[in-house]
Amino acid sequence: MIKGLFCGLTGLDITYYQNEYPLENQKSKTNDYRTFVGGPAANAAITYSILGGNTTLITCLGNSIIAKAIKTELLEEYNIDVIDMAADSQQLPSLSSVLVNMKKASRTIWSGQQQFYINDENTYEQMINESDFCFSDCNLPEISIGLLKKARESEKDIVLDTGSWKPHFPECLKLADEIIASITCNPPGSDLLTFLKDTKVKNIAITDGENDTFWLESSNSGLIKVPKIQSVDTLAAGDILHGAYCYYRFYEKNSFVNALEKATLVASESVKYFGPREGVYNIKKNKF
């Protein structure tokens, strides 16, 4: 079974479904609220696992009650091996409050993230050697940069998810083979495509929400049409695309563009349902 090594942010999303935002210093109530394991790397890893991949997730969670619950769910519900680089910490993991506007199918996120002390006794070599590819959301640079360097040394395929630009991105980007970026990811004073010309990145995709996805492979480029559907919840749709892409690219051995096309359909299916999983399970049940 093709094994994927995912690295990056994991947390808990506390999600509220309602149509209005609370006013400052006011209280807003809804009877429709849920919790999901979240974070770009975790959502991608879960998607890859649901579709059928063998998954290891390297992240920072700690030893709090909430962190233990997250690790238990990842292992027991999704069969994901979790390597917690902050296992001895009592800090809270990433916690996000998410408001999903059901009329607009939009989501607004309040994200709480802390920097963890990393246990240097943990190493990546064995996990990298046992994996077929490495994916990182480029968060948690205290662990992701070191892992990507070792993955590059081991000649593993490296896929990056880059959201809004962060100062450590150049160090990550120079190590990648393929990048699926958000249109909001622009280096200061430049644009992403121009910046990437000075790197060894082979394949590039730039997503733009419900708009078409641009792709560049060597000297070829094009657009992937995003299905026009009535969405109800876009939470984690981008993360789902990344996880599905890894599945179709490395597990099913599709070409770069074909894997993107299939992953786009999975992400589009996911926004038809509340929460980030039901659409993926539906795709798994009714394979292409």
Side-chain angles (χ1 to χ4, degrees):
M1 182 178 290
I2 303 300
K3 187 169 186 177
L5 183 60
F6 292 75
C7 176
L9 193 64
T10 305
L12 183 68
D13 290 344
I14 306 170
T15 307
Y16 303 89
Y17 293 91
Q18 57 187 128
N19 294 329
E20 296 180 357
Y21 293 91
L23 299 174
E24 184 176 355
N25 203 33
Q26 298 292 317
K27 184 182 294 185
S28 181
K29 178 183 176 182
T30 177
N31 293 319
D32 191 356
Y33 56 95
R34 311 175 195 184
T35 61
F36 305 103
V37 173
N43 282 324
I46 290 170
T47 301
Y48 183 78
S49 182
I50 290 174
L51 291 173
N54 187 348
T55 313
T56 296
L57 174 63
I58 299 179
T59 189
C60 292
L61 283 166
N63 199 38
S64 67
I65 293 174
I66 294 175
K68 290 177 180 177
I70 291 172
K71 285 184 273 192
T72 297
E73 180 172 336
L74 286 168
L75 179 60
E76 296 184 359
E77 184 70 22
Y78 305 110
N79 197 32
I80 294 175
D81 293 326
V82 179
I83 309 301
D84 184 3
M85 299 297 289
D88 298 329
S89 174
Q90 294 301 317
Q91 292 178 228
L92 287 173
S94 171
L95 298 177
S96 296
S97 293
V98 184
L99 190 151
V100 175
N101 187 312
M102 294 185 293
K103 287 182 178 179
K104 299 179 180 179
S106 63
R107 84 285 187 275
T108 301
I109 302 174
W110 292 265
S111 181
Q113 298 180 25
Q114 302 189 59
Q115 185 169 2
F116 284 89
Y117 169 78
I118 303 303
N119 185 351
D120 292 330
E121 295 179 0
N122 288 322
T123 57
Y124 313 113
E125 282 84 354
Q126 182 177 351
M127 291 173 281
I128 291 172
N129 290 335
E130 293 175 349
S131 299
D132 296 278
F133 69 90
C134 178
F135 170 92
S136 177
D137 64 11
C138 296
N139 286 294
L140 305 180
E142 58 270 32
I143 62 172
S144 61
I145 292 174
L147 180 139
L148 291 173
K149 287 180 177 178
K150 293 185 187 304
R152 181 78 288 145
E153 292 170 2
S154 299
E155 299 183 342
K156 300 293 182 178
D157 289 313
I158 295 175
V159 181
L160 298 186
D161 157 21
T162 55
S164 58
W165 185 263
K166 297 178 179 63
H168 63 275
F169 274 9
E171 195 165 3
C172 295
L173 293 172
K174 68 183 181 183
L175 300 167
D177 297 295
E178 301 183 343
I179 291 175
I180 304 176
S182 167
I183 198 170
T184 61
C185 183
N186 282 314
S190 181
D191 64 87
L192 187 61
L193 282 174
T194 301
F195 182 89
L196 290 174
K197 288 180 180 179
D198 294 326
T199 71
K200 296 182 179 180
V201 176
K202 301 172 186 176
N203 300 325
I204 300 164
I206 300 178
T207 63
D208 186 14
E210 63 186 12
N211 299 314
D212 295 341
T213 295
F214 171 81
W215 61 266
L216 176 66
E217 183 179 24
S218 299
S219 58
N220 298 318
S221 64
L223 294 175
I224 293 174
K225 297 292 183 181
V226 176
K228 303 303 179 185
I229 60 174
Q230 183 63 48
S231 62
V232 299
D233 185 0
T234 59
L235 179 64
D239 308 338
I240 289 166
L241 184 144
H242 299 138
Y245 170 80
C246 289
Y247 178 79
Y248 295 116
R249 179 69 162 138
F250 300 108
Y251 190 94
E252 291 199 347
K253 306 296 186 181
N254 284 273
S255 69
F256 173 65
V257 175
N258 286 346
L260 278 172
E261 289 173 338
K262 290 187 174 184
T264 299
L265 295 178
V266 177
S268 297
E269 180 71 14
S270 76
V271 304
K272 296 178 183 178
Y273 306 90
F274 292 111
R277 314 281 182 241
E278 189 172 347
V280 183
Y281 279 116
N282 192 43
I283 290 289
K284 171 67 174 178
K285 183 173 63 175
N286 303 293
K287 280 199 167 184
F288 297 127

